[in-house]
Amino acid sequence: EDQVTQSPEALRLQEGESSSLNCSYTVSGLRGLFWYRQDPGKGPEFLFTLYSAGEEKEKERLKATLTKKESFLHITAPKPEDSATYLCAVRWSGGSNYKLTFGKGTLLTVNP
Amino acid sequence: GAVVSQHPSRVICKSGTSVKIECRSLDFQATTMFWYRQFPKQSLMLMATSNEGSKATYEQGVEKDKFLINHASLTLSTLTVTSAHPEDSSFYICSAPGLAGGPRETQYFGPGTRLLVL
């Protein structure tokens, strides 16, 4: 059973069409949930860290929220340059220090 | 945020040869670095944890004699793929937890190294 599940696997949006990406986790003792953006052929770029349920973080058109079982990455009025794979990862008490467990990502395509 | 670099960005080698990949933390010191592997359209899989001044810790199923890790200093970790075979072709990415200039315990990733073994 996957510990971190992201949905949908792929999402196509029109420019300006807001939507949300989901990351659900089954680990216990969450020590942090991380969102990254990855462009093709490049390493992940850090976006947000969330530590406790109810926490929210915003950056430009992106807003991340966290509950006890899942996190959402809301994209408001996306632009073509927001097209990328968005990765979710968790640190949890069952893992070693700093170890991240990643989901498989959501490939977002924003059409002009 | 913290900056992590990798070198080379791409490498092509013949089967049976060894390839060394460097990972550097540019503006901070890292006693711990991580090496990941990513196959096309798949997520990142942790291979090993590189520890400065001690042996690396490998994840289950990762051959330590094939993927040699050396954490030579507080800013440099190297991954050597020994006797590379075509099935080792992949995208290798390193990361380091950045404490200076970024959120606590966040991992910052390098740009990755694309390895192709012919």
Side-chain angles (χ1 to χ4, degrees):
Chain A
E1 179 185 346
D2 288 345
Q3 296 169 316
V4 181
T5 304
Q6 291 188 246
S7 62
E9 290 185 9
L11 179 63
R12 285 186 175 271
L13 299 173
Q14 288 298 121
E15 184 172 2
E17 179 187 2
S18 302
S19 188
S20 295
L21 312 181
N22 178 263
C23 171
S24 63
Y25 58 94
T26 57
V27 301
S28 57
L30 184 73
R31 290 183 175 176
L33 185 141
F34 302 82
W35 281 99
Y36 289 88
R37 168 192 171 130
Q38 186 176 27
D39 292 302
K42 299 191 176 181
E45 174 189 347
F46 170 72
L47 294 174
F48 304 108
T49 308
L50 301 167
Y51 289 105
S52 57
E55 190 175 358
E56 298 183 352
K57 295 275 181 74
E58 283 189 71
K59 179 181 179 181
E60 296 181 353
R61 294 178 293 281
L62 300 176
K63 179 180 177 180
T65 62
L66 180 65
T67 71
K68 289 186 177 181
K69 293 184 177 182
E70 60 190 349
S71 176
F72 290 94
L73 184 65
H74 306 276
I75 303 177
T76 302
K79 297 181 178 181
E81 53 262 41
D82 294 323
S83 298
T85 296
Y86 290 85
L87 297 170
C88 167
V90 299
R91 282 188 64 243
W92 51 296
S93 58
S96 60
N97 285 342
Y98 298 119
K99 179 178 179 179
L100 295 180
T101 301
F102 279 86
K104 293 182 179 179
T106 294
L107 175 61
L108 174 66
T109 304
V110 182
N111 297 314
Chain B
V3 179
V4 177
S5 71
Q6 279 184 245
H7 177 80
S9 58
R10 294 171 181 263
V11 58
I12 301 174
C13 69
K14 293 182 178 180
S15 184
T17 61
S18 294
V19 174
K20 180 185 285 188
I21 303 170
E22 293 186 348
C23 176
R24 294 182 184 272
S25 56
L26 296 185
D27 53 357
F28 65 103
Q29 294 182 331
T31 57
T32 302
M33 291 184 177
F34 300 89
W35 287 97
Y36 291 82
R37 183 172 180 176
Q38 187 177 34
F39 291 104
K41 298 186 178 181
Q42 297 292 317
S43 191
L44 281 74
M45 296 299 296
L46 179 66
M47 299 174 64
T49 302
S50 174
N51 304 299
E52 192 270 338
S54 64
K55 292 182 179 180
T57 306
Y58 291 83
E59 295 300 301
Q60 190 173 9
V62 177
E63 299 177 59
K64 63 180 181 180
D65 293 331
K66 180 166 187 62
F67 298 99
L68 300 180
I69 291 174
N70 183 9
H71 202 131
S73 72
L74 289 172
T75 59
L76 174 63
S77 175
T78 60
L79 169 68
T80 301
V81 183
T82 62
S83 187
H85 292 292
E87 57 265 30
D88 298 323
S89 299
S90 189
F91 192 49
Y92 292 87
I93 312 174
C94 71
S95 73
L99 299 179
R104 179 175 57 92
E105 300 176 343
T106 294
Q107 281 191 33
Y108 294 92
F109 287 82
T113 296
R114 175 73 62 190
L115 170 64
L116 177 61
V117 184
L118 302 177

